[in-house]
Amino acid sequence: DSYSFQVAATNGFGTGPASNQVQLQAPSLYAPLTPARICDTRPVSESGAAADQCTGQTLGPGGMIQVQVTGFGGVPASATSVVANVTVTNTTAASYLTVWPAGATRPLASNLNWSQGQTVANLVTLPLSAGGAIQVYNANGRADVVVDVEGYYGPMTGTSGLGFSALAPARICDTRPVSESGAPADQCTGQTLGPGGTIQVQVTGFGGVPSSATSVVANVTVTNTTTPSYLTAWPAGQPRPLASTLNWSQGETRANRVVIPLSSTGALQFYNDLGRADLVVDVNGYYSPGSPGLFEAVSPFRICDTRPTAITRQPADQCTGQTLGPSATLAVEVAGLAGVPASATAVVANVTATNTSAASYLTVYPESPQPLASDLNWGAGYTVPNLVVCKLSPGGGLQIYNDLGQVDVVVDVFGWFT
């Protein structure tokens, strides 16, 4: 089941215009899938894959494409929300992508942002339309779109679906030498990935992930990259799927969220295609048959934007004008906004960094102390998004820390766990 509502602000001068309609889905359990490609707008001659529902449908400026999700990649008709990795490539101009349930009004939100020529990926978690589809919009220039599904939510019993347990961010793998990472040695220290290189990472037993976990939510970062390449993550011991998790250009530090099933021994496998790259893995939570968290999806809803209203041309919110400086922390209230109840234990949100004056990173966490982890990484001048699954503080909020330079932060809520 689902329901919807609109929000309007009232002050001494009257009531402002209502927001776009916000659609909510009933609480549901999670079913993981081995990553599977369901949409690729590139011609077969370039993608190297068999034709699918999107082949040849490159998006132009203001272009949209509807992608059928249920019935593809193992997603059943009963699914109400999807978890998918969305990638743009062959980009001819700086632009952004918005993904939302098909048939609904396009929301004020972005899922991917890129500069001309970049190939960029980001995880999305959002409700499906009644027919099981999503809509994808490109603002400027031309771009090809690739969609790889990783799992879905739906009305399942405890024996067929998984609940969620949120964790404070914890680093479990860093292939850089200790002298560079500044952290104690771990299972990955010194194992930089070369061309065609793979590494197996044990997840259960690290960062608070128990042996009962069957899927993990983690932030995966690559750094010290020597050439354009991509990374694929999948359950250890299985064949490597036709899917990508991260894409980057030479010299970039890039991050992306993953929601991936674990092997029977609780491990993941990572593959690097070209050049050399260091890998960092921070866990944020896990799914298991005994975990209590149920997911409630919402069509994207903006709750925080630190830019001045003169730039956004949107009403002021809790973050307006609070650009983050070096070593600055921003407190963001989540409960009570976008339908998020006080009982929510974790939030699913897209966090975007823009107007960046220096290479830096953001860490999103529930409350002090600040953990050794990162959620977004960027170079000066870049606009970078990442999906965040963050445990909430007892008061229903979160903290966002910026390391260096000046940065504006935008937070769009896509759902929560109760």
Side-chain angles (χ1 to χ4, degrees):
D1 295 335
S2 66
Y3 61 96
S4 60
F5 66 90
Q6 292 177 294
V7 177
T10 301
N11 59 23
F13 297 98
T15 300
S19 68
N20 288 339
Q21 195 170 70
V22 179
Q23 178 186 357
L24 293 175
Q25 296 282 0
S28 52
L29 293 167
Y30 182 68
L33 297 169
T34 299
R37 185 149 296 172
I38 66 168
C39 169
D40 190 334
T41 64
R42 296 173 295 180
V44 170
S45 58
E46 181 183 340
S47 68
D52 64 32
Q53 61 178 314
C54 303
T55 300
Q57 299 184 58
T58 300
L59 289 173
M64 292 189 291
I65 187 173
Q66 183 168 307
V67 181
Q68 183 65 34
V69 176
T70 58
F72 292 87
V75 182
S78 59
T80 56
S81 299
V82 68
V83 176
N85 203 56
V86 178
T87 304
V88 291
T89 190
N90 299 329
T91 55
T92 64
S95 185
Y96 67 88
L97 205 73
T98 300
V99 188
W100 73 102
T105 303
R106 177 163 58 90
L108 172 67
S110 61
N111 296 86
L112 280 83
N113 303 73
W114 62 88
S115 301
Q116 180 180 344
Q118 279 191 307
T119 295
V120 176
N122 197 18
L123 196 71
V124 302
T125 299
L126 75 161
L128 297 172
S129 69
I134 58 175
Q135 198 89 3
V136 182
Y137 166 86
N138 170 50
N140 301 310
R142 294 177 65 81
D144 279 306
V145 176
V146 180
V147 181
D148 300 319
V149 293
E150 296 187 3
Y152 63 92
Y153 293 93
M156 294 169 272
T157 66
T159 56
S160 61
L162 304 173
F164 180 71
S165 292
L167 296 169
R171 184 149 295 172
I172 67 168
C173 169
D174 190 333
T175 64
R176 296 173 294 180
V178 170
S179 58
E180 182 182 340
S181 67
D186 64 32
Q187 61 177 313
C188 302
T189 301
Q191 300 183 60
T192 300
L193 288 169
T198 62
I199 186 173
Q200 183 169 309
V201 178
Q202 183 64 35
V203 177
T204 57
F206 292 88
V209 182
S211 59
S212 59
T214 57
S215 293
V216 70
V217 177
N219 201 55
V220 177
T221 305
V222 291
T223 190
N224 299 327
T225 56
T226 63
T227 190
S229 184
Y230 68 87
L231 194 80
T232 300
W234 75 100
Q238 295 186 14
R240 177 163 57 92
L242 173 64
S244 61
T245 305
L246 245 77
N247 303 73
W248 62 87
S249 300
Q250 180 179 343
E252 275 195 310
T253 295
R254 274 275 169 188
N256 198 10
R257 195 75 44 187
V258 298
V259 182
I260 298 286
L262 298 172
S263 69
S264 59
T265 59
L268 292 177
Q269 197 88 4
F270 293 89
Y271 165 85
N272 170 51
D273 191 47
L274 300 171
R276 294 177 64 82
D278 278 307
L279 172 70
V280 180
V281 181
D282 300 319
V283 294
N284 305 100
Y286 62 90
Y287 294 89
S288 73
S291 294
L294 299 177
F295 181 64
E296 297 190 44
V298 62
S299 52
F301 191 91
R302 185 153 294 173
I303 65 167
C304 170
D305 191 333
T306 65
R307 296 171 295 179
T309 55
I311 292 178
T312 65
R313 298 181 181 176
Q314 298 296 323
D317 64 34
Q318 61 176 316
C319 303
T320 300
Q322 299 184 60
T323 299
L324 276 75
S327 301
T329 301
L330 175 70
V332 180
E333 290 299 320
V334 178
L337 300 173
V340 183
S343 59
T345 57
V347 68
V348 178
N350 208 59
V351 177
T352 303
T354 191
N355 300 328
T356 55
S357 66
S360 184
Y361 67 87
L362 289 183
T363 300
V364 184
Y365 58 103
E367 57 186 342
S368 296
Q370 181 191 328
L372 173 65
S374 62
D375 291 275
L376 282 82
N377 303 74
W378 62 84
Y382 282 95
T383 294
V384 176
N386 198 14
L387 190 76
V388 170
V389 181
C390 184
K391 184 177 181 180
L392 294 175
S393 70
L398 52 80
Q399 307 284 323
I400 302 177
Y401 167 83
N402 170 53
D403 191 47
L404 299 171
Q406 300 267 323
V407 61
D408 280 307
V409 176
V410 181
V411 181
D412 299 317
V413 170
F414 283 75
W416 60 88
F417 292 93
T418 57

